[in-house]
Amino acid sequence: MASTYFKLLFNFILFIFTISPTSSHPLDPLTPEELTLVRTIVIGATSNNDTIFHYVALDEPDKPLVLYWLSNPMSTPPPRRALAITRVDKETHEFIVDLSTQSIISDKLVSDHHGYPTLTLEEETEVSELPFSYVPFIESMNRRGLNLSAVICSPNTLGWFGQEKTKRNVKLQCFYLNNGSINYYAFPIDGIWMIANLDKMKIVEYSDRYTKPIPKSEGTDYRFSEQKPPFGPRINRAAICQPDGPGIEIEGHMVRWGNWKFHVSFDARAGTMISTAFIYDEEAQKSRSVLYRGYVSEVFVPYMDPTLDRFSDTFFDAGEYGLGYNAVSLVALLDCPNNAVFMDGYYARFDGLPVKVPRAICLFERYAGDIMWRHTETGISSTTINEVRPDRSLVARMVSRVGNYDYAFDKEFKLTGSIHMEVSLTGILYMKATEYTNNCQIEKEIFGPLVSENTIGSNHDHFFMYRLDLDIDGVQNSMVKRHLVTKRNRNYDTPRKSYWTVVSKTAKTESDAKLQYGLDPIQVLIVNPNEKTRLGNSHGYRLAPASIVHPLLTRDDYPQIRAAFTENDVWVTPYNKSEKWASGWYVDRSRGRDTLAVWTRRDREIHNKDIVLWHLMGIHHVPSQEDYPIMPTLKARFELHPNNYFERNPVLKVIPPEPVTPCNCTASPT
């Protein structure tokens, strides 16, 4: 009895407190010590203390080496290497660093024609301060009667619009803290075109076409302390009770829950990465591979305002800014429930030194009263059968605040074998000032609806591209398009006139796999053609999209050239560890020459190969007044479902939980 008590106590303590990462898996992210070592090695090799580190991450080991280690965990792990993308003397370098020998394996000089690396947070901060000592800007504020100390500026990437040569320039957009409201996005200072160069760290272009007033401040502050009655509705307190202790086991970055085990890591560009996900098949009595690596490869957010002030506002949130760089520390009991476990994240700042993001990722068991499966049977005389199993899932969550938007990224694992990917969008609209206060006054295109007096909420899109390296019972997989085809009834003597049937086609090359969801009902499966059920069906997983969005820009528009990967909802490529980012490695001011759309022009074979599924989801966002002054969450999601992966229902024999007596749960603030 005592041993059981101490075991539960130990699990509870493990569950409540942040889990510290340890290096034991080949795909573990770089530790703070390793980040520091990379810095030392690179600076020592370049003899340049002015080296700027833009992206430092694990140089992913070759996949066969990782798979061999997974099947032989006592073997020597793959070499531990790091990738460091830097700017040295205004040139971009890619360093591959061997951490065991403490040496540089390669130093590749990258042409600026490819684009520039992710902005560092430090240079974003530094460039934002330039206007406050720039005389023309100060004069503009004086003409407007604005207090310079209440002005906030931030850098917006400029994109590419056909220029022969580009520089590391950004546009500075400024806002005003109006009458004590902290919602400065509601008070854009429009009419100013201000361009700064990041390498020279100076303003290189400036013009002021002062035409629009700053909107009024009433009703813009979203802090609860600033709200006025009436209030409501009230959210009653709630907590999750787990008398048997948590169901999550975490060792380093390996997570075990239910029938799942997988690896969770933090990346400065992608945010959360899920790797080497296996599910235990009770019938087969073995662990089976499902997902080798899955993460958000890019987030493309083009705004639909072609005017001089805003035409360049077409952002790549992962490639230009970094979802991990902008990860926030999750708030216990608010961002995550009381049964959550937290993981810290680490990235290298501009000088290469490690930065800790406390509570960057949380993992928690979700029970929302959903049903896993059930049936009530009353057709048998003298008896009623009720069989119900409550649903459970495990969620890995990270929140990234990129400018005015907050994204909550969820990776959810179900006991049924399904994996759900979801993004919750909230934060603050990107707004523009206008002289209009009512729709009846509008006489010209304003590129978005009025969301408040003198305030336009700009029309825009959110495209989320996921890279999903599925390994369905091994690496040899294929992509199957399953068409649901309507047929006339001509063969059977019944009154039925029509029915639908399934016509399946296996994609042989990359061009065969490209797919846009539309009016034709079609299903996408990734299958292992070499592994069959006892009935002869290929083991597989089905993609179940829920948030389909297609680009509405013309294909010759420059932002769309850079984001050509949004032209299909589904792409399939042969595995290539260097093809990680749908928008290319160097996205800032890129020209669309190194993207998923370009790679697939080779039309490589994908049948019975190690393949990668790319899936696009998103939202066309036409703002409304309910989005002001701060947005309730909008959601985009898709699911991966087992399809003949198991011999039968994998949760048929799930052990039902014992009833829990209602209790007062103590919610821990840690």
Side-chain angles (χ1 to χ4, degrees):
M1 185 71 178
S3 62
T4 301
Y5 170 80
F6 284 114
K7 181 180 179 181
L8 289 175
L9 179 61
F10 173 79
N11 286 338
F12 182 75
I13 293 172
L14 179 69
F15 179 73
I16 290 297
F17 289 97
T18 298
I19 306 300
S20 298
T22 60
S23 292
S24 58
H25 189 289
L27 298 178
D28 277 357
L30 299 179
T31 65
E33 295 76 18
E34 288 175 323
L35 290 170
T36 302
L37 180 59
V38 171
R39 174 184 186 270
T40 301
I41 294 170
V42 170
I43 291 179
T46 60
S47 301
N48 192 330
N49 288 323
D50 294 328
T51 298
I52 300 175
F53 292 80
H54 288 264
Y55 177 67
V56 182
L58 176 73
D59 180 44
E60 188 175 317
D62 291 334
K63 185 174 177 180
L65 297 178
V66 177
L67 295 178
Y68 178 80
W69 180 87
L70 287 172
S71 59
N72 301 273
M74 300 306 293
S75 63
T76 302
R80 189 89 172 146
R81 295 175 178 173
L83 165 69
I85 295 177
T86 68
R87 293 279 288 178
V88 183
D89 294 328
K90 299 180 175 59
E91 292 181 322
T92 301
H93 289 256
E94 282 182 14
F95 292 100
I96 302 295
V97 179
D98 190 308
L99 296 173
S100 59
T101 62
Q102 300 188 18
S103 61
I104 290 180
I105 296 175
S106 66
D107 173 8
K108 176 184 175 183
L109 181 65
V110 180
S111 169
D112 288 347
H113 290 294
H114 291 286
Y116 301 101
T118 306
L119 276 62
T120 70
L121 297 178
E122 292 76 14
E123 64 187 354
E124 288 185 52
T125 300
E126 185 176 356
V127 76
S128 297
E129 295 298 320
L130 294 179
F132 302 102
S133 58
Y134 187 66
V135 173
F137 180 78
I138 296 172
E139 292 174 348
S140 292
M141 297 303 99
N142 289 336
R143 280 197 302 273
R144 286 166 165 78
L146 301 180
N147 185 347
L148 194 65
S149 64
V151 174
I152 293 176
C153 299
S154 62
N156 288 352
T157 51
L158 270 172
W160 173 73
F161 292 88
Q163 300 94 330
E164 182 69 23
K165 294 183 179 180
T166 58
K167 298 180 180 180
R168 288 193 72 226
N169 289 348
V170 294
K171 183 185 79 168
L172 290 170
Q173 176 67 54
C174 298
F175 308 87
Y176 197 61
L177 288 169
N178 197 16
N179 292 334
S181 173
I182 50 86
N183 188 356
Y184 59 87
Y185 293 109
F187 313 113
I189 302 174
D190 286 318
I192 292 176
W193 179 260
M194 182 164 38
I195 305 300
N197 182 268
L198 293 172
D199 287 331
K200 297 178 181 179
M201 204 51 71
K202 63 180 293 187
I203 294 173
V204 295
E205 188 178 337
Y206 187 86
S207 64
D208 184 359
R209 302 178 302 104
Y210 172 50
T211 56
K212 298 179 180 66
I214 287 180
K216 298 177 181 179
S217 61
E218 289 81 2
T220 60
D221 204 314
Y222 49 83
R223 292 173 294 180
F224 186 78
S225 61
E226 298 301 314
Q227 306 309 309
K228 299 177 181 178
F231 294 101
R234 176 181 293 278
I235 300 176
N236 288 346
R237 293 182 297 170
I240 296 175
C241 292
Q242 295 186 286
D244 301 324
I248 310 173
E249 297 178 25
I250 301 181
E251 182 179 353
H253 290 270
M254 283 302 301
V255 177
R256 289 176 175 82
W257 172 81
N259 46 4
W260 283 101
K261 63 177 179 179
F262 56 90
H263 183 271
V264 180
S265 62
F266 177 87
D267 180 82
R269 181 165 172 173
T272 307
M273 287 182 163
I274 302 294
S275 305
T276 60
F278 288 78
I279 189 166
Y280 188 77
D281 186 338
E282 294 286 352
E283 295 292 315
Q285 291 289 290
K286 65 178 182 179
S287 289
R288 302 169 60 189
S289 61
V290 176
L291 177 68
Y292 179 73
R293 207 124 158 92
Y295 54 87
V296 179
S297 179
E298 189 54 89
V299 180
F300 177 48
V301 187
Y303 283 85
M304 298 298 130
D305 188 337
T307 60
L308 182 61
D309 291 351
R310 302 292 181 101
F311 75 91
S312 62
D313 293 341
T314 55
F315 307 119
F316 293 77
D317 287 346
E320 293 175 338
Y321 296 99
L323 301 177
Y325 282 128
N326 289 278
V328 301
S329 293
L330 298 169
V331 181
L333 311 182
L334 297 177
D335 285 318
C336 309
N338 67 298
N339 63 332
V341 181
F342 294 90
M343 284 184 175
D344 299 330
Y346 294 89
Y347 64 82
R349 69 184 194 185
F350 76 106
D351 58 3
L353 291 174
V355 174
K356 178 180 177 180
V357 184
R359 305 182 306 283
I361 299 170
C362 73
L363 296 105
F364 59 92
E365 290 181 273
R366 171 180 283 164
Y367 172 49
D370 295 328
I371 297 169
M372 183 185 297
W373 63 263
R374 79 169 324 279
H375 182 61
T376 296
E377 182 57 67
T378 59
I380 302 173
S381 61
S382 304
T383 185
T384 297
I385 297 171
N386 274 308
E387 284 288 323
V388 184
R389 300 294 182 270
D391 201 8
R392 296 286 192 279
S393 60
L394 179 67
V395 178
R397 174 173 295 166
M398 189 201 79
V399 174
S400 183
R401 183 204 70 91
V402 186
N404 51 303
Y405 261 98
D406 293 60
Y407 300 114
F409 296 97
D410 283 1
K411 280 85 172 169
E412 183 175 6
F413 292 81
K414 311 281 282 186
L415 296 173
T416 58
S418 295
I419 304 173
H420 298 189
M421 303 287 186
E422 182 175 270
V423 183
S424 298
L425 300 83
T426 179
I428 301 173
L429 293 172
Y430 195 45
M431 291 172 271
K432 185 175 181 178
T434 180
E435 64 272 22
Y436 302 125
T437 60
N438 191 280
N439 281 323
C440 65
Q441 302 168 338
I442 300 175
E443 299 177 345
K444 60 181 180 179
E445 176 67 77
I446 60 174
F447 313 109
L450 286 179
V451 293
S452 186
E453 290 82 358
N454 304 116
T455 303
I456 299 167
S458 298
N459 294 330
H460 60 284
D461 300 318
H462 296 270
F463 296 96
F464 301 92
M465 176 58 82
Y466 280 76
R467 182 184 186 271
L468 303 161
D469 182 3
L470 290 164
D471 283 356
I472 307 303
D473 274 333
V475 298
Q476 301 297 113
N477 288 180
S478 296
M479 184 256 211
V480 174
K481 294 180 181 178
R482 194 159 65 183
H483 299 265
L484 308 185
V485 179
T486 300
K487 288 193 173 184
R488 297 289 293 181
N489 177 26
R490 293 187 173 92
N491 299 321
Y492 301 97
D493 187 18
T494 70
R496 284 289 298 275
K497 296 182 181 296
S498 63
Y499 63 99
W500 62 259
T501 190
V502 176
V503 177
S504 296
K505 180 182 178 182
T506 300
K508 302 295 185 180
T509 66
E510 290 174 288
S511 60
D512 293 339
K514 296 176 183 178
L515 172 67
Q516 289 184 345
Y517 286 102
L519 296 178
D520 295 331
I522 188 170
Q523 296 178 348
V524 170
L525 288 81
I526 301 297
V527 305
N528 187 328
N530 313 293
E531 297 290 337
K532 306 287 186 179
T533 66
R534 69 180 187 275
L535 302 181
N537 293 309
S538 295
H539 294 179
Y541 262 70
R542 177 173 61 89
L543 172 67
S547 304
I548 300 302
V549 60
H550 296 151
L552 299 176
L553 298 177
T554 59
R555 290 198 174 190
D556 64 344
D557 200 354
Y558 294 105
Q560 189 57 37
I561 292 172
R562 300 174 68 212
F565 58 87
T566 63
E567 290 170 5
N568 292 302
D569 304 311
V570 174
W571 310 70
V572 177
T573 60
Y575 170 80
N576 184 328
K577 80 170 187 177
S578 68
E579 295 177 354
K580 296 180 64 172
W581 312 111
S583 53
W585 278 91
Y586 299 95
V587 185
D588 181 29
R589 312 223 70 182
S590 63
R591 306 180 185 190
R593 295 175 177 174
D594 175 31
T595 69
L596 175 60
V598 173
W599 310 332
T600 55
R601 291 176 188 168
R602 287 173 281 179
D603 203 18
R604 295 165 291 185
E605 292 185 6
I606 59 170
H607 173 52
N608 205 13
K609 303 284 187 182
D610 189 359
I611 58 176
V612 175
L613 171 68
W614 304 76
H615 178 52
L616 182 76
M617 70 174 188
I619 292 174
H620 293 301
H621 191 179
V622 180
S624 65
Q625 289 181 234
E626 288 84 357
D627 295 330
Y628 183 89
I630 192 166
M631 286 174 48
T633 56
L634 296 174
K635 292 183 182 291
R637 69 194 310 265
F638 68 91
E639 302 173 7
L640 296 167
H641 289 300
N643 191 92
N644 298 318
Y645 185 80
F646 299 102
E647 291 291 344
R648 58 176 179 169
N649 181 350
V651 290
L652 178 66
K653 299 180 183 179
V654 67
I655 303 171
E658 294 292 331
V660 177
T661 303
C663 58
N664 294 320
C665 292
T666 301
S668 171
T670 57

